[in-house]
């Protein structure tokens, strides 16, 4: 292939790889990305002559002028994201260079433009598509630089064609793997100077019921649609709890109800109990949750209730508001660790919880004007019950006898709470939580509406819980003196999770999300904590000891397993090396292998054998130093020369002659004086020959 054509195509492929990398960072801009890809694809196969190239250049200049003006407008007037307008200009220039005549010396411009595109992608939070584009770019750049260097050298010396084998190009491309490997080691081990990755262009998820300033039960005439959009990824460092489906990821609480909407009072006095109540009086071991949240339009930190501690490291700053909800300030997606008790207080202790501090009655006993039937229903359900806990359970049990549906009421009149309680008797989770809070408040029990997510899908690929918008849910928190806010869920059969609609692509989505999660965790958010943990595990792997505890875990592998695994990897590498050398040896042919075996035996016998020694020179050395070996050595050399230089195909009798002659020569040469210390050093440069090898066996 013509070097100019090959070089141009490789440079254009670098541009396509840069476009893919940018798409993995900023996302696809359908119009500009489509036009740029079409232009680059055309640059692979169509190369105009110099005259037509000059005509095209007159077309690019006015378009580039418009794009420059657009970029300046974003900088000085709109004051928006200037990266995308600049990237559009880069794409235009790159297409223009790709469609130049082959004679144009524009390789350096193509290099610079494609590299600028990859660099622009890092201004955003790049995903797995960026990894694909980046790896392709590095591999293509290695080959392109080699071909470009050869092209310039050939043109300088007037050489029109330079034969390039596929092996050379593939080997050069494989060098990029070494570059990437070294870069990966440097990335993992180089001291961290920052925490996490703060990219541009974070895509904020659309508002979800419960995560805005109000939640309404007034919708009608439709069906609540599910969404597979992932909002939380949760790891459990101490082991996943048994009841994954029953975990409630608490988000925001609401205290004020106007008959249709739940909102948060602006002047809410402190309504969070002392943290010591949750630490000392709730049951069960503490559950540690490592949570990777999507950037929502409401800055809420989700966690199991009650969250007794949230540590966000250096990426974001968590705060606790007057309601006891966790919020944060900072940029980017929230990543944090939360601790929570695994079990609520027992029914016996809650039945005994009377008197003591209670939050503001004006806020948590507030009710709009409701039908008298609501108060009568609450009184009838709790009649004869003496304690707060039994009253709460009675109302919860009654509501669980209703039906659950995602079909909204048909008309606005049917959206009222009274219609839900006394006529329809079925609805979605917001109706159940609203009804329970109103019934409890009507009998003087402080309660509030809470929204978040319930359950999730377990990812076997990444060993973490995937929580999507399908799991959006609403439930109730009731105040108990000395214990704080306790969770109750009146939605029947735990079915309020919005409907985890299964789709045909869901298993693949979980797999891709697991890959994306690992990419984000170990590349984008890789910081000091992750580095120290990784280096500690590497240390334990190399020493065969656990790096985190002196007492082995009952579920952990035996301490010698890492060492055995490491030794096994070394053995596999050694076996692969032997097979590779044997393959080189087999490539030579039987006559060449016999001749090389003769050289090896001569070197061991002390004869001066060097890589530059010719076959006839070797025979002369044997005749002078060890005359008894002259005749078999002569037979081997003559047959080798006939095969190697005469182009003769040796028959089976000739191969038997070589084997017999080599055996006799070895016997005689072994009786000769031993070789000096470095006698065989020069021989090792021959492929397939190594110290101590039995080359005779390879002739059979």
């Amino acid at each position: 292939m013509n070097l100019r054509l090959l070089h141009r195509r490789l440079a254009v492929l670098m541009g396509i790889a840069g476009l893919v990398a940018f798409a993995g960072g900023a996302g696809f801009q359908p119009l500009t990305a489509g036009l740029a890809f079409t232009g680059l694809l055309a640059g692979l196969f169509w190369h105009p002559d110099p005259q037509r190239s000059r005509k095209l250049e007159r077309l690019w200049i006015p378009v580039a002028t418009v794009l420059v003006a657009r970029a300046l407008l974003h900088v000085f007037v709109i004051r928006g994201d200037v990266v995308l307008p600049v990237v559009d200009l880069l794409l235009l220039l790159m297409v223009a260079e790709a469609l130049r005549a082959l004679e144009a010396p524009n390789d350096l411009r193509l290099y610079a433009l494609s590299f600028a595109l990859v660099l622009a992608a890092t201004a955003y939070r790049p995903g797995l598509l960026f990894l694909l584009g980046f790896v392709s770019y590095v591999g293509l750049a290695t080959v392109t630089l080699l071909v470009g260097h050869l092209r310039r050298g050939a043109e300088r010396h007037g050489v029109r064609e330079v034969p390039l084998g596929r092996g050379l190009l593939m080997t050069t491309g494989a060098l990029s793997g070494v570059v990437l490997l070294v870069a990966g080691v440097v990335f993992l081990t180089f001291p961290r100077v920052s925490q996490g990755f703060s990219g541009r262009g974070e895509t904020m998820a659309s508002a979800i019921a419960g995560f805005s300033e109000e939640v309404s039960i007034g919708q009608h005439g439709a069906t609540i649609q599910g969404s597979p959009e992932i909002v939380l990824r949760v790891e459990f460092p101490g082991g996943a709890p048994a009841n994954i489906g029953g975990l409630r990821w608490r988000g925001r609480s609401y205290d004020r109800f106007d008959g249709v909407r739940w909102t948060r009072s602006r002047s809410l006095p402190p309504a969070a109990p002392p943290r010591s109540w949750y630490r000392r009086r709730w049951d069960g071991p503490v559950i540690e949750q490592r949570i990777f949240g999507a950037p929502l339009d409401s800055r809420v930190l989700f966690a199991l209730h009650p969250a007794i501690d949230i540590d966000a490291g250096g990426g974001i700053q968590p705060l606790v508001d007057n309601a006891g909800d966790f919020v944060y300030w900072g940029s980017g997606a929230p990543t944090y660790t939360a601790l929570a008790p695994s079990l609520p207080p027992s029914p016996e202790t809650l039945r005994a919880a009377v008197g003591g501090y209670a939050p503001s009655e004006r806020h948590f006993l507030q009710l709009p004007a409701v039908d008298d039937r609501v108060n009568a229903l609450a009184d009838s359900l709790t009649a004869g019950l003496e304690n707060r806990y039994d009253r709460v359970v009675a109302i919860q049990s009654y509501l669980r006898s209703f039906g659950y549906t995602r079909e909204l009421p048909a008309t606005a009149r049917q959206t009222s709470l009274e219609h839900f309680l006394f006529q329809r008797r079925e609805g979605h989770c917001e109706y159940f939580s609203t009804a329970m809070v109103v019934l409890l408040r009507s009998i003087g029990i402080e309660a509030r509406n809470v929204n978040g997510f319930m359950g999730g899908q377990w990812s076997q690929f990444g060993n973490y819980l995937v929580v999507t918008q399908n799991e959006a849910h609403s439930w109730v928190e009731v105040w108990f003196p000395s214990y704080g806010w306790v969770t109750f869920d009146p939605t029947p059969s735990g079915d309020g999770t919005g409907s985890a609609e299964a789709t045909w692509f869901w298993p693949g989505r979980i797999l891709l999300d697991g890959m994306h999660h690992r990419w984000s965790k170990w590349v984008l958010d890789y910081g000091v904590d992750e580095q120290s943990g990784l280096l500690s595990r590497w240390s334990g792997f190399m020493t065969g000891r656990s790096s985190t505890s002196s007492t082995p875990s009952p579920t952990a592998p035996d301490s010698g397993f890492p060492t055995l695994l490491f030794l096994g990897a070394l053995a596999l590498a050694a076996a692969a090396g032997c097979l590779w050398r044997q393959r080189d040896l087999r490539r030579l042919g039987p006559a060449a292998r016999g001749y090389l075996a003769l050289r090896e035996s001569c070197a061991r016998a002390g004869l001066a054998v060097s890589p530059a020694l010719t076959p006839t020179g070797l025979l002369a050395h044997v005749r002078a130093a060890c005359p008894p070996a002259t005749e078999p050595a002569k037979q081997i050399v003559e047959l080798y020369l006939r095969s190697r230089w005469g182009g003769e195909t040796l028959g089976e009798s000739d191969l038997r002659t070589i084997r017999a002659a080599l055996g006799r020569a070895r016997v005689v040469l072994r009786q000769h004086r031993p070789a000096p210390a470095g006698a065989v050093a020069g021989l090792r440069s021959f492929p397939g020959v190594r110290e101590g090898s039995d080359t005779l066996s390879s002739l059979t």
Side-chain angles (χ1 to χ4, degrees):
M1 180 183 292
N2 184 281
L3 273 182
R4 286 182 176 179
L5 179 60
L6 177 61
H7 184 220
R8 173 61 61 82
R9 286 181 173 176
L10 287 171
V12 172
L13 286 174
M14 285 176 60
I16 294 176
L19 181 61
V20 172
F22 184 77
F28 283 104
Q29 300 293 322
L31 179 60
T32 55
L35 291 175
F37 180 77
T38 303
L40 293 174
L41 199 61
L44 289 175
F45 305 101
W46 180 63
H47 306 94
D49 55 67
Q51 183 178 1
R52 187 167 298 178
S53 178
R54 286 191 292 271
K55 291 181 179 179
L56 284 175
E57 187 174 348
R58 290 195 289 269
L59 174 65
W60 305 129
I61 291 176
V63 180
T65 304
V66 172
L67 291 180
V68 169
R70 176 189 173 213
L72 293 175
L73 183 67
H74 273 76
V75 173
F76 297 107
V77 179
I78 301 177
R79 298 186 183 277
D81 188 357
V82 73
V83 175
L84 293 180
V86 171
V87 166
D88 289 343
L89 179 60
L90 285 178
L91 291 175
L92 175 69
L93 296 176
M94 191 160 59
V95 171
E97 295 297 336
L99 295 177
R100 283 185 183 273
L102 284 177
E103 293 78 8
N106 63 342
D107 51 341
L108 294 180
R109 290 195 292 273
L110 277 170
Y111 297 163
L113 290 169
S114 60
F115 179 74
L117 201 58
V118 175
L119 195 62
T122 62
Y124 293 81
R125 189 175 176 86
L128 284 174
L129 190 60
F130 170 82
L131 176 63
L132 175 63
F134 179 75
V135 171
S136 301
Y137 182 85
V138 173
L140 287 168
T142 307
V143 179
T144 306
L145 291 174
L146 169 69
V147 175
H149 177 73
L150 291 177
R151 172 192 172 181
R152 286 187 292 272
E155 291 175 348
R156 188 181 307 115
H157 293 89
V159 179
R160 293 184 177 182
E161 298 289 339
V162 177
L164 290 177
R166 291 184 180 180
L168 174 62
L169 296 180
M170 292 179 64
T171 303
T172 305
L175 291 176
S176 61
V178 179
V179 174
L180 290 170
L181 180 62
V182 173
V185 172
V186 171
F187 174 81
L188 292 174
T189 58
F190 196 79
R192 300 287 98 190
V193 295
S194 64
Q195 177 71 26
F197 181 97
S198 180
R200 303 164 60 99
E202 290 287 0
T203 302
M204 308 301 282
S206 58
I208 307 171
F211 312 130
S212 59
E213 294 305 315
E214 63 179 39
V215 177
S216 174
I217 61 171
Q219 294 88 358
H220 60 87
T223 301
I224 299 176
Q225 299 297 326
S227 170
E229 190 70 26
I230 296 172
V231 292
L232 295 177
R233 300 171 180 87
V234 187
E235 296 179 352
F236 299 94
N243 59 331
I244 290 292
L247 299 178
R248 291 175 176 83
W249 305 102
R250 185 191 185 281
R252 187 183 290 278
S253 64
Y254 304 86
D255 64 286
R256 183 170 183 79
F257 182 57
D258 65 3
V260 178
R261 290 174 296 274
W262 283 99
T263 56
R264 296 164 58 87
S265 299
R266 293 186 178 181
S267 58
L268 180 69
R275 196 69 57 84
S276 60
W277 288 11
Y278 292 144
R279 289 182 180 274
R280 300 174 183 174
R281 300 179 183 179
W282 284 55
D283 300 329
V286 171
I287 299 178
E288 182 180 357
Q289 314 131 59
R290 181 65 173 163
I291 302 175
F292 303 81
L296 302 178
D297 58 357
S298 187
R299 295 182 175 271
V300 178
L301 295 180
F302 299 90
L304 299 179
H305 178 74
I308 58 179
D309 188 32
I310 287 186
D311 179 17
I316 60 173
Q317 180 62 48
L319 303 169
V320 183
D321 62 15
N322 279 0
D325 300 348
F326 281 90
V327 295
Y328 70 95
W329 62 269
S331 62
T335 300
Y336 52 98
T337 299
L339 302 177
S342 58
L343 297 173
S346 65
E348 292 74 17
T349 58
L350 293 179
R351 287 190 179 98
V354 294
Y357 169 76
S360 170
E361 294 183 358
R362 184 168 67 89
H363 294 86
F364 296 102
L365 291 180
Q366 172 271 333
L367 282 175
V370 295
D371 194 304
D372 291 339
R373 292 178 297 170
V374 175
N375 297 327
L377 175 62
D379 290 337
S380 66
L381 292 174
T382 58
L385 301 176
E386 300 296 332
N387 63 78
R388 176 176 295 227
Y389 176 80
D390 289 336
R391 293 175 181 176
V392 173
V393 171
I395 293 176
Q396 175 182 256
S397 300
Y398 173 75
L399 292 174
R400 284 186 174 179
S401 66
F402 286 23
Y404 178 82
T405 179
R406 297 174 60 235
E407 297 290 336
L408 295 173
T411 65
R413 184 184 299 274
Q414 296 176 358
T415 61
S416 68
L417 180 62
E418 290 80 7
H419 187 273
F420 166 74
L421 283 172
F422 302 109
Q423 290 180 262
R424 195 175 188 223
R425 294 175 61 86
E426 68 175 8
H428 53 83
C429 56
E430 280 84 357
Y431 274 103
F432 288 96
S433 60
T434 298
M436 184 170 180
V437 173
V438 170
L439 291 171
L440 288 173
R441 288 185 177 186
S442 68
I443 58 174
I445 297 178
E446 296 87 354
R448 61 186 182 184
N449 196 358
V450 175
N451 280 67
F453 300 94
M454 180 176 174
Q457 305 287 331
W458 187 257
S459 171
Q460 296 291 345
F461 178 75
N463 283 333
Y464 65 95
L465 188 69
V466 179
V467 182
T468 70
Q469 291 187 21
N470 281 330
E471 281 79 48
H473 188 41
S474 181
W475 60 91
V476 176
E477 287 180 355
V478 182
W479 179 267
F480 282 84
S482 301
Y483 293 95
W485 295 104
V486 180
T487 298
F488 291 87
D489 194 345
T491 303
S493 304
D495 244 353
T497 59
S499 92
E501 288 186 335
T503 55
W504 65 270
F505 59 85
W506 182 247
R509 182 181 177 88
I510 288 288
L511 175 63
L512 290 176
D513 182 72
M515 297 171 62
H516 174 78
H517 176 61
R518 292 188 175 187
W519 164 260
S520 297
K521 179 179 178 181
W522 291 109
V523 178
L524 302 185
D525 298 323
Y526 183 68
V528 177
D529 294 338
E530 289 80 7
Q531 185 184 51
S532 61
L534 182 64
L535 294 178
S536 179
R537 286 194 292 273
W538 278 356
S539 175
F541 175 84
M542 297 301 295
T543 59
R545 299 191 303 269
S546 172
S547 60
T548 57
S549 173
S550 58
T551 304
S553 168
T555 59
D558 182 71
S559 59
F561 178 75
T563 303
L564 292 176
L565 186 63
F566 181 69
L567 294 176
L570 288 180
L572 287 176
C578 291
L579 290 175
W580 183 269
R581 295 177 73 90
Q582 285 295 329
R583 191 191 71 164
D584 285 344
L585 196 63
R586 294 285 180 186
R587 254 187 220 165
L588 295 175
R593 293 198 296 271
Y595 171 69
L596 291 176
L598 175 64
R599 290 179 64 99
E600 180 183 5
S601 298
C602 291
R604 291 187 177 283
L607 278 68
V609 178
S610 67
L613 186 64
T614 64
T616 54
L618 176 67
L619 185 59
H621 277 51
V622 173
R623 183 178 293 111
C626 188
T630 302
E631 186 58 32
K634 181 179 179 181
Q635 292 178 331
I636 295 172
V637 169
E638 287 179 350
L639 289 172
Y640 167 66
L641 292 176
R642 284 164 51 189
S643 172
R644 178 69 179 84
W645 305 108
E648 182 179 339
T649 301
L650 301 182
E652 183 59 34
S653 61
D654 294 327
L655 297 181
R656 285 198 297 270
T657 300
I658 291 177
R659 288 195 291 269
L662 183 59
R664 295 197 306 274
R666 277 183 164 175
V667 171
V668 175
L669 289 170
R670 284 195 191 103
Q671 298 172 357
H672 198 262
R673 63 181 179 83
V680 296
L683 186 61
R684 293 173 187 167
S685 62
F686 285 88
V689 178
R690 61 194 181 279
E691 186 175 356
S693 64
D694 188 4
T695 315
L696 178 61
S697 62
S698 66
L699 296 174
T700 58

